[in-house]
Amino acid sequence: MEFDFYWLLLALPVAFLLGWIASRLDLRQLKREDQASPQAYFKGLNLLLNEQQDKAIDAFIEAVQHDPDTSDLHFALGNLFRRRGEYERAIRVHQHLLARADLKREERERAQHALAQDFMKAGLFDRAEEAFKALEGTAFSTDARLALLSLYERSRNWHPAIEVARQLEAAGTGSFTQRTAHLWCEVAHEADARGRSEDAELALQRARESAPQAARPLVMQGQRLVRQGRHAEALKIWDDLMVMQPQAFSLIASDYARSAQACGEAGNALAKLQNLYLQVPSVDILTALNSLQPDADARRQALMSHISQAPSLSAAQGLIRERLATHVPLEEAEIERLQQALATAAKPLQRYRCAACGFESQHYFWQCPGCQGWDTYPPRRLEDQ
């Protein structure tokens, strides 16, 4: 039986037509499915922008049901759950994403990062640590290390925190020398609390090596020496602090003066504090300086000078204390300076504060200029409350 080419020529157009019709039907079906998902997605987005988070969640869930394979919808839903504080639901969404075998590597890393954030927010630090460590070598490795550093600091796990800070600096993320110095200081503080003096000293040395200009290691070294009765050595450490970090010296100015008196260096310490006060005038340094100053007139003059330049209650209190100690009446100029200091200190308290939004004003308002609320100002100034 011979093959008839006529039927072949007739079948080809028919097959083409049937294929075209089938493809159109598939395209329409696909188009309908694609339209359903974006509509729900944009509806959720609109609700989210209008701060209707409950309705937005419902819209995103609907979108996920229409297109369960779309990872972006899962990410949007999971992140929304996290923002709402529904961490368990966020964890389930991101775990579901990670369980998918067809997920691309970039999206899998993104889901891992989102899951780690869920654990962190939920306070599941052990699981968060594991999840962040799993991101090593990925595009999220820097973010993961920063999160781990914060996690270790919150859990007071100082040695792993120091290692992560070292890795971040080695990777060129930025300078972590100051932060590392603080971490070593925390190690020293815990070692001292446990009676491990040698470990504490070593940790403080590491802190100074990490950030030679940092103030805290010098402050702590001096304080440790004072507790051991080694006041002269403490003064040498704090002399370095005075040169390198004069702004921070006020933190231990009174300790410095007491140590100077304890080891017979009051005269030298007084001269150094006077020079420092000229560079960095502060009440703490002035108080330490006057504790070493034997001349009552010089003490009062120093207090008067400070009040005239920077009116403060602490300096005013010091002037009154000098009056009570020496029984020498205050002069009119001194009383005027005291009045100026009190007026400056009282000014921030002579305000009204809105109970609804905290807006403060010198004048009383029936309607708050900040939140537009009525009768939200208590009719009493801050100093009367």
Side-chain angles (χ1 to χ4, degrees):
M1 181 178 179
E2 295 183 0
F3 182 77
D4 194 343
F5 285 97
Y6 172 78
W7 292 106
L8 179 61
L9 293 175
L10 184 62
L12 283 175
V14 173
F16 176 78
L17 180 61
L18 291 174
W20 180 81
I21 292 172
S23 67
R24 294 298 295 173
L25 290 174
D26 289 342
L27 286 172
R28 287 178 184 174
Q29 179 66 22
L30 184 61
K31 194 172 184 180
R32 282 197 299 269
E33 291 176 355
D34 287 344
Q35 284 177 345
S37 176
Q39 285 177 359
Y41 179 78
F42 288 123
K43 178 184 176 183
L45 208 55
N46 183 52
L47 291 167
L48 191 59
L49 292 173
N50 289 324
E51 298 184 357
Q52 300 180 45
Q53 295 188 3
D54 291 332
K55 294 182 179 179
I57 288 175
D58 293 336
F60 282 128
I61 291 175
E62 180 185 350
V64 169
Q65 289 172 346
H66 279 110
D67 192 358
D69 295 329
T70 302
S71 58
D72 284 335
L73 294 177
H74 285 79
F75 283 122
L77 186 60
N79 291 338
L80 187 54
F81 281 143
R82 190 193 310 133
R83 285 179 57 188
R84 289 270 298 170
E86 299 181 49
Y87 304 125
E88 291 184 6
R89 299 179 76 181
I91 289 169
R92 287 201 300 270
V93 169
H94 294 130
Q95 284 178 334
H96 172 72
L97 271 174
L98 283 172
R100 282 173 46 182
D102 62 335
L103 202 63
K104 296 180 181 178
R105 181 175 61 83
E106 293 80 5
E107 292 183 339
R108 185 172 298 279
E109 293 172 0
R110 182 182 171 191
Q112 180 71 29
H113 183 242
L115 181 61
Q117 290 178 304
D118 296 337
F119 288 143
M120 186 76 164
K121 287 288 186 178
L124 304 173
F125 292 154
D126 291 343
R127 300 182 71 179
E129 181 182 1
E130 293 176 5
F132 280 124
K133 284 182 176 180
L135 290 165
E136 188 65 33
T138 69
F140 294 94
S141 59
T142 298
D143 291 338
R145 284 173 180 169
L146 289 169
L148 278 172
L149 180 57
S150 176
L151 186 154
Y152 289 139
E153 288 177 346
R154 288 174 63 180
S155 58
R156 306 185 68 80
N157 203 353
W158 306 120
H159 286 287
I162 291 168
E163 177 58 24
V164 171
R166 186 195 63 77
Q167 292 173 359
L168 284 165
E169 187 154 6
T173 306
S175 175
F176 288 81
T177 55
Q178 289 283 343
R179 196 163 179 172
T180 302
H182 280 296
L183 295 174
W184 279 118
C185 287
E186 292 292 343
V187 172
H189 181 73
E190 288 191 353
D192 267 332
R194 296 187 178 114
R196 292 168 11 205
S197 180
E198 293 182 0
D199 292 343
E201 184 61 33
L202 180 60
L204 288 177
Q205 289 177 7
R206 295 278 179 82
R208 292 194 65 178
E209 290 170 2
S210 175
Q213 299 295 319
R216 188 180 179 187
L218 294 171
V219 169
M220 289 184 65
Q221 276 190 319
Q223 290 171 338
R224 292 186 77 254
L225 290 169
V226 167
R227 289 196 295 270
Q228 297 168 12
R230 298 156 64 183
H231 295 282
E233 296 176 59
L235 290 181
K236 291 180 180 179
I237 294 291
W238 286 337
D239 283 342
D240 292 339
L241 177 65
M242 188 183 296
V243 174
M244 291 191 292
Q245 294 286 348
Q247 295 284 351
F249 191 85
S250 59
L251 297 172
I252 48 88
S254 295
D255 295 334
Y256 184 85
R258 284 192 290 269
S259 289
Q261 290 173 327
C263 65
E265 292 290 333
N268 291 333
L270 176 62
K272 291 177 181 177
L273 288 173
Q274 286 173 332
N275 290 331
L276 180 63
Y277 179 80
L278 295 176
Q279 301 174 43
V280 190
S282 77
V283 172
D284 290 316
I285 296 175
L286 178 62
T287 302
L289 190 157
N290 276 354
S291 69
L292 298 174
Q293 176 60 261
D295 188 348
D297 290 337
R299 292 196 299 269
R300 288 179 64 162
Q301 184 59 41
L303 289 165
M304 279 288 295
S305 177
H306 186 89
I307 293 174
S308 64
Q309 295 175 15
S312 72
L313 285 179
S314 297
Q317 184 183 26
L319 189 59
I320 294 172
R321 192 162 46 242
E322 283 294 325
R323 160 68 180 87
L324 295 174
T326 60
H327 303 288
V328 178
L330 294 176
E331 298 178 0
E332 186 174 347
E334 293 174 326
I335 296 174
E336 184 179 349
R337 296 299 185 194
L338 280 177
Q339 191 275 332
Q340 291 176 357
L342 291 172
T344 301
K347 192 173 182 180
L349 298 176
Q350 295 170 344
R351 294 172 176 265
Y352 298 97
R353 178 185 291 163
C354 174
C357 69
F359 188 91
E360 293 183 5
S361 172
Q362 290 281 354
H363 305 286
Y364 183 83
F365 289 100
W366 296 103
Q367 183 186 27
C368 174
C371 65
Q372 306 301 312
W374 293 99
D375 291 325
T376 56
Y377 271 83
R380 293 166 64 86
R381 296 182 188 271
L382 293 177
E383 63 182 345
D384 295 328
Q385 296 178 18

